Amino acid sequence: MRNSLFKKLLSGPYIFWIVGFTVLPLLVIAYYAFTQNGQFTLANITAITQYAHWKALAISLVLALLCTFVCLLISFPLALVLRNLSLAKGHLARGRNNMIVMLFILPMWINFLLRSYAWQMILSRNGLLNGFLSLLHLPKLHIYNTPWAILLGMIYDFLPFMILPVYNAMIKIDQDVINAAYDLGATKQTTLRKIIFPLSLPGIISGITMVFVPSISEFAIANLLGGGKILLIGNIIEQEFSEGNNWNLGSGLSLILMIFIIISMLFTAKYDKNGEGGTLL
Amino acid sequence: MANKLIELCGISKSYGSNQILDDMNLYFNENRFLTLLGPSGCGKTTTLRIMAGFETPDTGKVLFDGVDITNMPPNKRPLNTVFQKYALFTHMNIAENIAFGLKIKNKSKAYIDDKIKYALKLVNLDGYEKRMPDSLSGGQQQRIAIARAIVNEPKVLLLDEPLGALDLKLRQSMQYELIRLKNELGITFVYVTHDQEEALTMSDTIVVMNQGYIQQIGTPEDIYNEPENAFVADFIGESNIISSTMVEDKLVNILGTNFKCVDVGFGQNRPVDVVIRPEDIELLSPEKGIITGRVTSVLFKGVHYEMEVMANGREWLVHSTVMKNVSDEVGLYVDPFNIQIMNKPESEDEEAVKIDA
């Protein structure tokens, strides 16, 4: 008895953490979202139908989807190449592989604000990119302050979150399973489609969630690379809480955003039965 | 010569500085149960993978029915493989696993359904169509892997230590299952194993390999009773291998005592290796034996007693159903027919031999 009581007590700090830093804040958000001056109202939720708001949500959605798609487009072939490289026998090959993966995730260890400032330097009107282009006598590119700059920054920031789970899932596939498909008459394309892709799906799904969720609520990159001209839903929420000083509206829009996040989480839970996402690091 | 099904001509393969196979020559005919037997690292699995097309030999050719298939990719080869760890497609159910090869060949649905039924019946797993591979035991998964391979009607089924991951009891029952399957299908099985008992039980022909060289090819009886060198004798079961001298035809001097034997043609006073299987040594009263010795240890092994007898300055391993006591004085007798004389190897690596399988 005493033993089990002791075990329960051990979970105390974690329960405190979850209640204090997850459950309570959510309740506070919900309270603000459904009230205005202490009165119950749905106005903060329905505010999403205002043009500026749903336009911001739409841009966020499109950018998040594009970002997720491009990350996947880069990660899947990369993981495939790394997998094939790792089939070469010996420690050297394994060391080299870890090195390559490391190079791709290395930027993750640098503060993302610093990374975004670096992109600002590169993309700005008289930045590195345009300097390089004028050296080649090519016309200047005006990427800075456009959605493309935000997209680029998001892809750069979130790519490691896609590479790791996809690579982890793919490296786990037994080469004999792939050989068995060849042996049964499948071409390389068929094997890729029917064997390798379905077997790396858990990793792909985790990667999608881990890129999509942070990118749909993104606002800092939009501030730095979008020049404050392009408002994402994250920017609007941030402004309502800070400059607008309307916590109720900010909370209402947050709840709407949360619906999209929950949908993508349900999507993961359905496919990611092995907790592939847990193998992130 | 027209009925050579697969022929390996002068196959060599190395990984870096590690030579796996050196100028290997081997062929076999239709409807055989051929076993590649040897310790790990002897090149048996590499040989199988070269036949399947997963490895390309550095030199040499692979012929199938007289056609050169050395550079043909695995998906075009008319043979199928059963892998050690089953290699089932875990995201498909049993029926989809078995249908995989047939769907690629665009067979009709009715044909595929028939084949799935037939294959599951053959491996005694009727009604498992909708199960997932993960829900099956190791033995069942391996039988599904076999079913998945044989529905494609290959002329040769390659099996890479398919029973290696199973427990002893299951392994033994699967051995009978495999023999039955081979006889029902009438196709050639090429079986890779390091388990000599498995090889002796199932094979028509055993190819004993070591360090990339074929040591001996023969029927299980040949390999067991007339090993060609000390390696084969030692690898196939327990034996007394004694360095001796061939005095003349039918007479060999073992550790200072002349024994009668039946082998001729080794010349006079030539150094040879002698193999005597432990069950071929009879323990008699001291005056009746060819040599006398003293029992130094006795172990009960179930079907027999395993004893060591010190005689002529050497421990002799003896299997007998008659128990002696430690320090008993005994006479050792060996029938001339049971003394196997072998040439001493000229080097570490024996010459590859070619024998009609």
Side-chain angles (χ1 to χ4, degrees):
Chain A
M1 267 318 269
R2 263 190 59 211
N3 193 15
S4 85
L5 181 70
F6 180 66
K7 277 184 186 165
K8 278 179 190 159
L9 282 175
L10 275 182
S11 65
Y14 306 104
I15 291 173
F16 173 77
W17 183 273
I18 292 169
V19 172
F21 297 108
T22 308
V23 179
L24 275 181
L26 275 176
L27 290 177
V28 171
I29 292 274
Y31 171 77
Y32 274 106
F34 289 107
T35 58
Q36 193 82 45
N37 303 324
Q39 298 291 310
F40 175 81
T41 173
L42 283 175
N44 296 317
I45 306 290
T46 53
I48 191 66
T49 55
Q50 290 166 27
Y51 175 72
H53 293 161
W54 71 252
K55 186 186 161 202
L57 182 63
I59 296 176
S60 293
L61 253 178
V62 169
L63 282 181
L65 286 173
L66 274 175
C67 171
T68 311
F69 181 70
V70 174
C71 284
L72 184 59
L73 219 56
I74 296 170
S75 301
F76 190 80
L78 176 74
L80 204 60
V81 168
L82 288 175
R83 199 204 125 76
N84 286 338
L85 280 178
S86 76
L87 290 182
K89 292 185 172 73
H91 295 283
L92 260 175
R94 218 166 304 135
R96 180 193 58 199
N97 250 19
N98 289 340
M99 190 69 189
I100 297 174
V101 175
M102 176 79 112
L103 286 176
F104 273 95
I105 62 172
L106 199 63
M108 227 167 80
W109 298 344
I110 300 162
N111 183 289
F112 96 99
L113 276 176
L114 284 180
R115 282 180 279 157
S116 301
Y117 277 120
W119 274 112
Q120 215 172 22
M121 296 295 141
I122 295 170
L123 297 179
S124 63
R125 189 168 293 272
N126 296 310
L128 275 175
L129 178 67
N130 280 335
F132 180 70
L133 286 176
S134 65
L135 266 182
L136 297 175
H137 302 288
L138 289 167
K140 284 189 175 186
L141 275 175
H142 300 291
I143 299 177
Y144 189 54
N145 288 354
T146 68
W148 302 114
I150 302 174
L151 183 61
L152 191 65
M154 290 200 322
I155 292 168
Y156 181 76
D157 267 348
F158 299 132
L159 185 61
F161 295 99
M162 184 67 89
I163 288 181
L164 276 176
V166 173
Y167 173 72
N168 276 335
M170 210 180 280
I171 207 82
K172 273 194 218 153
I173 303 173
D174 186 351
Q175 181 57 28
D176 272 351
V177 171
I178 292 166
N179 279 343
Y182 291 147
D183 188 73
L184 292 166
T187 57
K188 296 221 162 186
Q189 293 87 325
T190 313
T191 308
L192 185 63
R193 210 175 61 240
K194 297 227 166 145
I195 307 294
I196 299 175
F197 180 75
L199 287 177
S200 18
L201 205 55
I204 292 172
I205 300 285
S206 323
I208 288 177
T209 318
M210 279 194 285
V211 172
F212 182 77
V213 170
S215 54
I216 196 175
S217 53
E218 181 51 57
F219 68 91
I221 296 173
N223 275 345
L224 290 169
L225 299 179
K229 283 183 187 163
I230 297 133
L231 289 181
L232 302 183
I233 189 73
N235 296 102
I236 291 185
I237 293 170
E238 187 232 343
Q239 284 174 8
E240 292 305 334
F241 274 99
S242 55
E243 293 142 44
N245 210 11
N246 188 347
W247 288 27
N248 305 82
L249 181 56
S251 299
L253 295 178
S254 296
L255 283 189
I256 297 288
L257 184 56
M258 213 181 286
I259 289 171
F260 284 90
I261 292 172
I262 287 170
I263 288 172
S264 75
M265 298 297 250
L266 290 176
F267 180 65
T268 318
K270 192 175 165 209
Y271 289 98
D272 185 16
K273 288 176 189 121
N274 305 324
E276 208 70 39
T279 60
L280 175 62
L281 275 176
Chain B
M1 287 301 188
N3 55 355
K4 283 180 192 172
L5 188 59
I6 284 191
E7 186 172 9
L8 304 177
C9 312
I11 299 283
S12 300
K13 176 80 187 172
S14 46
Y15 296 115
S17 60
N18 193 6
Q19 180 102 29
I20 305 294
L21 294 173
D22 189 3
D23 191 28
M24 182 185 185
N25 291 290
L26 173 70
Y27 67 82
F28 50 87
N29 305 333
E30 278 179 56
N31 200 9
R32 308 293 299 183
F33 200 123
L34 181 96
T35 299
L36 303 177
L37 175 68
S40 49
C42 74
K44 55 190 193 299
T45 296
T46 305
T47 307
L48 194 83
R49 292 172 67 84
I50 285 173
M51 289 187 211
F54 302 135
E55 306 276 358
T56 320
D58 299 335
T59 63
K61 281 190 297 186
V62 183
L63 302 182
F64 183 89
D65 248 346
V67 181
D68 188 345
I69 60 165
T70 317
N71 295 312
M72 189 184 275
N75 53 349
K76 300 269 187 285
R77 296 193 183 200
L79 20 86
N80 287 112
T81 309
V82 175
F83 295 87
Q84 180 172 13
K85 280 182 263 149
Y86 329 133
L88 294 178
F89 307 132
T90 47
H91 58 297
M92 301 179 186
N93 68 25
I94 299 306
E96 288 165 338
N97 264 280
I98 296 174
F100 189 83
L102 300 172
K103 275 186 188 155
I104 283 165
K105 293 184 188 74
N106 281 323
K107 302 285 186 190
S108 73
K109 191 174 181 316
Y111 177 88
I112 293 175
D113 288 347
D114 267 8
K115 273 284 184 186
I116 293 171
K117 265 220 164 66
Y118 161 79
L120 284 177
K121 202 174 189 69
L122 205 60
V123 296
N124 287 326
L125 289 172
D126 324 54
Y128 277 67
E129 284 90 343
K130 293 280 170 270
R131 297 277 291 270
M132 293 306 282
D134 286 347
S135 72
L136 269 53
S137 72
Q140 290 171 330
Q141 289 192 43
Q142 194 53 282
R143 280 186 277 167
I144 295 301
I146 293 168
R148 182 179 69 178
I150 60 178
V151 288
N152 301 287
E153 299 175 351
K155 284 201 172 166
V156 180
L157 190 65
L158 306 173
L159 302 106
D160 183 8
E161 306 209 23
L163 310 184
L166 306 180
D167 65 62
L168 180 69
K169 203 81 185 168
L170 198 54
R171 216 155 58 214
Q172 285 168 342
S173 73
M174 282 294 286
Q175 288 174 15
Y176 292 106
E177 196 100 327
L178 283 172
I179 298 170
R180 178 182 65 79
L181 270 174
K182 195 232 139 221
N183 291 335
E184 277 184 37
L185 294 165
I187 61 174
T188 293
F189 277 31
V190 180
Y191 191 94
V192 163
T193 185
H194 61 262
D195 184 327
Q196 40 99 3
E197 191 201 311
E198 225 169 78
L200 291 173
T201 310
M202 297 190 289
S203 320
D204 301 321
T205 307
I206 296 177
V207 179
V208 185
M209 297 179 68
N210 190 32
Q211 294 178 353
Y213 291 91
I214 293 178
Q215 303 290 320
Q216 186 172 0
I217 303 176
T219 64
E221 289 86 351
D222 288 343
I223 301 267
Y224 188 84
N225 293 327
E226 288 158 41
E228 279 186 14
N229 59 40
F231 173 81
V232 176
D234 190 42
F235 195 73
I236 309 284
E238 291 175 288
S239 51
N240 298 286
I241 301 170
I242 308 161
S243 193
S244 308
T245 310
M246 197 73 185
V247 180
E248 54 183 55
D249 280 356
K250 302 191 182 184
L251 192 68
V252 61
N253 185 290
I254 304 172
L255 302 171
T257 307
N258 282 342
F259 283 72
K260 281 182 190 157
C261 63
V262 294
D263 295 77
V264 295
F266 284 87
Q268 295 197 336
N269 294 317
R270 274 280 305 280
V272 290
D273 278 330
V274 166
V275 174
I276 303 171
R277 294 287 178 192
E279 65 272 23
D280 290 335
I281 299 176
E282 291 169 56
L283 297 182
L284 307 170
S285 50
E287 68 280 4
K288 286 186 185 164
I290 303 173
I291 52 173
T292 57
R294 205 169 276 283
V295 178
T296 56
S297 79
V298 179
L299 283 174
F300 178 59
K301 287 283 188 173
V303 286
H304 61 255
Y305 294 93
E306 182 177 297
M307 288 170 277
E308 283 181 338
V309 178
M310 187 61 137
N312 286 21
R314 186 187 195 282
E315 298 270 12
W316 298 65
L317 188 68
V318 182
H319 290 173
S320 169
T321 49
V322 184
M323 196 194 92
K324 301 284 179 186
N325 291 311
V326 172
S327 80
D328 275 1
E329 178 133 1
V330 290
L332 274 66
Y333 175 80
V334 186
D335 190 290
F337 193 76
N338 287 329
I339 295 179
Q340 168 70 15
I341 313 283
M342 307 175 302
N343 276 316
K344 282 204 172 278
E346 279 153 29
S347 65
E348 272 284 295
D349 305 328
E350 274 290 300
E351 253 309 281
V353 287
K354 208 185 291 183
I355 293 174
D356 205 319

